Amino acid sequence: MTEVESQIARELFACAAVASHSEQKRAHLIALPQLVLDLAQAIANGHYQPGAFTIFAVTDPKLREIFAPGFADRLAQQWLIRHIEPSWDKRFIDDSFANRKGKGTQAATERLQMFMRRPGQRWYIKLDIQAFFPSIDRRILLELWSTHFPKLHCPHALRDQIDGVARAILEQSPTDPAPVRSGNLALLSQIPAHKSWLLAPEHAGMPIGSLTSQFFANVYLNELDQFIKHTLKVPCYLRYVDDFILLADDPNTLLAWKHSIASFLQDRLRLSLHPAKVVLQRCAQGVDFLGYRVHPHYKFVRQRSVRALRRRIAWFCHLLAPKEHPWAQPPMSGEWRKWLVLHDACSTDGSASAALLQRMLSTLNSYYGLLRHANTYTLRKHIYHKELGILRSYFLPADKDYSHLKVRAHWLMRSG
């Protein structure tokens, strides 16, 4: 093995160490050294080609087609992003909040509240790009990559390797190699044609579910960000993936900006605004954004998120006491079905297993985290005392604010 291959292998092992503990990772643990060495050699010699995707459908928060890369391809994507993200991130505007360190949904909603409190920002317009990921023109994306990639500061040999991996990913067809369909196949058949990457025109579309897709989405829409900030000179603007908001003191200004944005998207990026998702309102009415109803000085969680939490609670109660909760429906993502095939939900005495407790706790606290960042103390308390049911025997509030839950000490001791 050459020194270059050894260096890439070390970096890939570092990527594997921080990769999530997925079923794919567990399945590859024994063969991981050879997998990494083969991948390092392919990258070093410019022969890397992505493998087949696994396709499945999810319904939360809406019906979508997910393309999951194989484990080796996940490592290659992490390796690529580690090398290009620090330099490229400096080119993005501060008010782009998706898939960036130090950003996220909470930072985006807080920034929006700050904009709404500014004098002269009484109105807002919220816009959405129609079928964004399936509509991305990869020829334009490759053009953007070719323009900006030479500015990346790195050794010449490494530059060639990075370029080779990036182009292999950007040029990959969704059907070559042939994808593997998984999960609920009936749901996959319900994906609308305009939202399916499999049915997109040649050179169009990027897979939802890949780390590189999240990064390159920001590269693609950075063109829009720069146009809005530097050509239209909009002072109060923010974007999270393909949802973006502009604020101004009157609706006519916002409508003029919308017209200019629609023209720019079509002419430069081959994208269109979603005609049914244009919202023009006064800021005092609140903004429906990223799971919250955002007002200048407070925000509430959307009822859709609360209903989703209640469905999870009902499903957990069904797992522990199916006779008392016979009608609960499992989450439609299919991940729980896969998990239950590999793990025991209950111990020999009928109580929840340690693995199930941790899995349920993670899900419940993800929702409590969403609630915690809004004005929902009464709701958090109510859900624990009135809606958790049998789950209260396993979990208790971590503090007086009901900010999150924890496993009762009794069950921690039993699980060791």
Side-chain angles (χ1 to χ4, degrees), residues 151-168:
K151 302 173 185 177
L152 184 69
H153 297 291
C154 62
H156 182 74
L158 178 60
R159 181 186 301 274
D160 291 341
Q161 293 150 10
I162 291 173
D163 191 41
V165 172
R167 289 182 180 277

Side-chain angles (χ1 to χ4, degrees), residues 306-324:
V306 178
R307 289 194 295 269
L309 170 57
R310 286 173 171 145
R311 287 195 298 270
R312 296 299 190 276
I313 291 173
W315 169 241
F316 295 159
C317 290
H318 169 78
L319 289 177
L320 298 175
K323 292 182 179 179
E324 288 79 6

Side-chain angles (χ1 to χ4, degrees), residues 136-152:
I136 291 174
D137 191 320
R138 283 179 281 131
R139 294 168 298 183
I140 296 175
L141 191 51
L142 280 165
E143 173 195 319
L144 295 173
W145 172 259
S146 298
T147 300
H148 296 288
F149 172 68
K151 302 173 185 177
L152 184 69

Side-chain angles (χ1 to χ4, degrees), residues 74-136:
R74 286 172 52 199
L75 295 184
Q77 291 182 17
Q78 288 188 44
W79 177 86
L80 174 67
I81 295 301
R82 281 189 173 201
H83 281 289
I84 64 178
E85 186 177 44
S87 174
W88 218 294
D89 192 74
K90 297 175 183 177
R91 303 184 184 129
F92 299 150
I93 66 170
D94 285 342
D95 290 323
S96 165
F97 287 91
N99 308 306
R100 297 177 64 193
K101 293 179 181 178
K103 301 291 185 177
T105 58
Q106 302 307 326
T109 55
E110 290 170 5
R111 180 67 165 169
L112 175 57
Q113 286 182 301
M114 190 194 78
F115 284 156
M116 295 170 77
R117 292 193 294 265
R118 284 187 182 178
Q121 307 296 326
R122 297 182 301 162
W123 289 79
Y124 75 88
I125 191 167
K126 189 174 76 161
L127 304 172
D128 179 278
I129 296 174
Q130 188 166 29
F132 171 55
F133 278 98
S135 301
I136 291 174

Side-chain angles (χ1 to χ4, degrees), residues 53-58 60-69 77 99 129-136 138 169 172 174 188 191-192 194-198 204-215 217 241-242:
F53 289 105
T54 297
I55 311 176
F56 57 94
V58 298
D60 191 5
K62 57 186 176 182
L63 182 62
R64 293 185 301 174
E65 181 184 66
I66 303 297
F67 286 77
Q77 291 182 17
N99 308 306
I129 296 174
Q130 188 166 29
F132 171 55
F133 278 98
S135 301
I136 291 174
R138 283 179 281 131
I169 292 171
Q172 183 182 11
L188 271 176
I191 303 290
H194 70 283
K195 290 189 175 182
S196 173
W197 189 30
L198 288 173
M206 290 189 66
I208 299 175
S210 292
L211 178 64
T212 46
S213 294
Q214 298 170 3
F215 172 80
V241 193
D242 58 335

Side-chain angles (χ1 to χ4, degrees), residues 333-359:
S333 68
E335 289 300 313
W336 270 97
R337 294 186 185 93
K338 295 179 183 178
W339 188 89
L340 289 170
V341 170
L342 300 173
H343 300 84
D344 292 325
C346 295
S347 303
T348 54
D349 62 359
S351 62
S353 66
L356 179 61
L357 284 178
Q358 292 302 321
R359 176 93 180 188

Side-chain angles (χ1 to χ4, degrees), residues 115-342:
F115 284 156
M116 295 170 77
R117 292 193 294 265
R118 284 187 182 178
Q121 307 296 326
R122 297 182 301 162
W123 289 79
Y124 75 88
I125 191 167
K126 189 174 76 161
L127 304 172
D128 179 278
I129 296 174
Q130 188 166 29
F132 171 55
F133 278 98
S135 301
I136 291 174
D137 191 320
R138 283 179 281 131
R139 294 168 298 183
I140 296 175
L141 191 51
L142 280 165
E143 173 195 319
L144 295 173
W145 172 259
S146 298
T147 300
H148 296 288
F149 172 68
K151 302 173 185 177
L152 184 69
H153 297 291
C154 62
H156 182 74
L158 178 60
R159 181 186 301 274
D160 291 341
Q161 293 150 10
I162 291 173
D163 191 41
V165 172
R167 289 182 180 277
I169 292 171
L170 292 176
E171 293 171 354
Q172 183 182 11
S173 163
T175 57
D176 185 19
V180 178
R181 287 169 171 79
S182 179
N184 189 333
L185 300 184
L187 279 179
L188 271 176
S189 66
Q190 297 173 24
I191 303 290
H194 70 283
K195 290 189 175 182
S196 173
W197 189 30
L198 288 173
L199 302 177
E202 188 178 3
H203 306 301
M206 290 189 66
I208 299 175
S210 292
L211 178 64
T212 46
S213 294
Q214 298 170 3
F215 172 80
F216 283 118
N218 277 336
V219 171
Y220 202 71
L221 289 183
N222 184 52
E223 301 299 297
L224 172 66
D225 297 338
Q226 300 297 334
F227 172 76
I228 291 175
K229 294 298 292 184
H230 300 298
T231 301
L232 297 183
K233 300 186 184 302
V234 179
C236 295
Y237 158 78
L238 59 86
R239 178 179 61 81
Y240 192 95
V241 193
D242 58 335
D243 292 330
F244 51 103
I245 296 176
L246 301 84
L247 296 90
D249 199 36
D250 66 276
N252 291 331
T253 299
L254 292 171
L255 290 172
W257 286 341
K258 171 185 170 289
H259 178 75
S260 298
I261 289 168
S263 298
F264 177 85
L265 285 172
Q266 182 60 50
D267 296 342
R268 179 69 181 98
L269 300 177
R270 300 295 184 264
L271 298 173
S272 301
L273 292 176
H274 198 303
K277 294 185 178 180
V278 177
V279 179
L280 177 64
Q281 285 185 333
R282 292 180 180 272
C283 289
Q285 294 177 265
V287 185
D288 194 0
F289 190 53
L290 301 180
Y292 294 100
R293 188 69 185 175
V294 182
H295 293 263
H297 298 280
Y298 58 91
K299 56 186 175 182
F300 298 117
V301 174
R302 294 173 64 184
Q303 283 302 306
R304 184 173 69 183
S305 301
V306 178
R307 289 194 295 269
L309 170 57
R310 286 173 171 145
R311 287 195 298 270
R312 296 299 190 276
I313 291 173
W315 169 241
F316 295 159
C317 290
H318 169 78
L319 289 177
L320 298 175
K323 292 182 179 179
E324 288 79 6
H325 303 272
W327 304 113
Q329 295 294 317
M332 295 302 292
S333 68
E335 289 300 313
W336 270 97
R337 294 186 185 93
K338 295 179 183 178
W339 188 89
L340 289 170
V341 170
L342 300 173

